[in-house]
């Protein structure tokens, strides 16, 4: 899937989810009826609705805003990169299992 068509489908999915939650009279964690601007205000500190829209459009990158969108809509929309796993003795688990640095 090309990046532009992926972004368009993502926008449609998120907007449809917001519409679905509004019809069910669901509220954000701050008690407001679900909307893009309500999601923006539910963040601490709050951000603008434009910032939320820019993240959904893929024009800016913000893990904090993505996390807030996913939390409020109760669905995962973005893939997260896994952080390297640390072993209790330090270093990565791969170094310990092979005896060599990765």
């Amino acid at each position: 899937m090309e990046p532009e068509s992926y972004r368009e489908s993502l926008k449609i999915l998120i907007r449809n989810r917001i519409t679905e939650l509004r019809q069910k009279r669901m509220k954000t964690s701050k008690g407001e009826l679900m909307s893009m601007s309500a999601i923006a205000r539910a963040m601490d500190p709050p951000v603008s609705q434009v910032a939320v829209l820019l993240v959904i459009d893929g024009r800016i990158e913000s893990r904090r805003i993505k996390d807030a969108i996913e939390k409020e809509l109760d669905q995962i929309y973005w893939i997260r990169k896994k952080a390297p796993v640390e072993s209790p003795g330090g270093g990565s688990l791969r170094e310990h299992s092979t005896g060599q640095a990765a």
Side-chain angles (χ1 to χ4, degrees), residues 33-49:
L33 194 59
M34 193 62 65
S35 69
M36 293 279 187
S37 53
I39 292 171
R41 287 190 297 271
M43 295 181 64
D44 185 29
V47 297
S48 70
Q49 176 185 357

Side-chain angles (χ1 to χ4, degrees), residues 27-33 38-39 41-44 46 71-72:
K27 297 185 177 184
T28 65
S29 58
K30 299 281 183 169
E32 292 184 62
L33 194 59
I39 292 171
R41 287 190 297 271
M43 295 181 64
D44 185 29
K71 175 188 167 202
E72 297 297 336

Side-chain angles (χ1 to χ4, degrees), residues 11 20 24 36 52 54 58 62 71 77:
K11 279 195 305 191
E20 173 189 335
K24 292 180 180 179
M36 293 279 187
V52 172
L54 289 174
S62 172
K71 175 188 167 202
Y77 294 100

